Amino acid sequence: MLILNPCDGWHEGHIRAWEEGAEVYHVGIYTFMMDEMVPHDFYVAWALLPDSIVLSEKFEAEKHRRL
């Protein structure tokens, strides 16, 4: 996902869910360094991005097309 912080712009974040058995006990947005982005990080907007692997499979034929 993309996270907007008005102080320093866009950041890439990943949603992670921590589970114990069948129960989810924490869901958060994390940076690539696994630092949790919490509300005091002052993000004001976010957008979900498509799964890049699933998206690339939909354009498989385009990979082999010559320009």
Side-chain angles (χ1 to χ4, degrees):
M1 68 184 338
L2 287 178
I3 309 293
L4 176 61
N5 178 321
C7 295
D8 58 3
W10 292 99
H11 300 273
E12 182 180 338
H14 302 275
I15 298 173
R16 301 278 188 241
W18 304 103
E19 302 175 5
E20 189 169 306
E23 187 174 329
V24 175
Y25 64 91
H26 184 76
V27 176
I29 302 170
Y30 292 83
T31 67
F32 75 97
M33 298 285 292
M34 290 303 293
D35 296 324
E36 185 175 14
M37 297 183 80
V38 293
H40 71 266
D41 288 330
F42 195 51
Y43 54 86
V44 295
W46 56 269
L48 291 176
L49 299 173
D51 182 328
S52 60
I53 294 173
V54 173
L55 187 61
S56 70
E57 289 171 353
K58 296 196 182 300
F59 296 96
E60 188 68 32
E62 299 295 320
K63 290 181 184 178
H64 306 292
R65 191 175 83 176
R66 293 189 181 253
L67 299 176

